Amino acid sequence: MSSRVLVVDDSKVIRQLIRVNLELDGFEVQVAADGAQCLEIVHQLCPDVITLDVAMPRMDGPRTAELLRQDPRTCHIPLLLVSGSVAGCDRSRFDAVLPKPFDPLELVRTVRRLAHGDPARSGCPASRSVTGDADSVLGHS
């Protein structure tokens, strides 16, 4: 069974670019145009990974991540921040960060790693520290 990814970005071109690259690697992909739409459909989709942009209309990525983390039904879903606006963004709610423009192979590798992460991870940790993960994706040490 293929892993499901919910791609959330206000740019139709970026949604399509991410979708095509992930589908070519065997992922099942659904899209949403902003955080509000993500929250409307996430429970029906039950995605294995969610990608979020930072700046979007109606609800931005950090606020969407905050609400996903507060909900016991979605708090376990890995979140990948894919954005051109990662500087100054609170990355504590994200499992990984990929700045735009991104390398399509790095996108697929990161989503695959998140989708096939620790299968025992079923609870929602009170504190998620992903600084090392985010920094490694950004190339910081």
Side-chain angles (χ1 to χ4, degrees), residues 26-138:
F27 289 96
E28 180 184 324
V29 180
Q30 297 294 324
V31 297
D34 58 36
Q37 188 179 22
C38 168
L39 295 176
E40 291 168 6
I41 64 176
V42 69
H43 300 296
Q44 293 94 1
L45 295 177
C46 302
D48 298 296
V49 176
I50 299 173
T51 71
L52 290 165
D53 188 12
V54 170
M56 296 182 286
R58 296 198 303 162
M59 186 179 301
D60 66 14
R63 177 68 179 145
T64 305
E66 179 182 356
L67 294 173
L68 290 166
R69 292 297 185 224
Q70 291 173 358
D71 186 334
R73 299 170 295 172
T74 58
C75 64
H76 64 282
I77 301 172
L79 302 178
L80 170 60
L81 178 65
V82 181
S83 181
S85 308
V86 296
C89 178
D90 177 11
R91 297 181 279 199
S92 65
R93 292 182 178 91
F94 297 94
D95 297 281
V97 177
L98 195 60
K100 292 177 188 172
F102 56 84
D103 174 3
L105 292 175
E106 186 63 29
L107 168 76
V108 170
R109 274 193 299 267
T110 303
V111 171
R112 189 181 312 129
R113 178 178 53 81
L114 293 172
H116 301 111
D118 183 3
R121 182 173 77 160
S122 59
C124 300
S127 154
R128 300 174 68 84
S129 175
V130 295
T131 304
D133 216 13
D135 286 345
S136 68
V137 173
L138 290 172

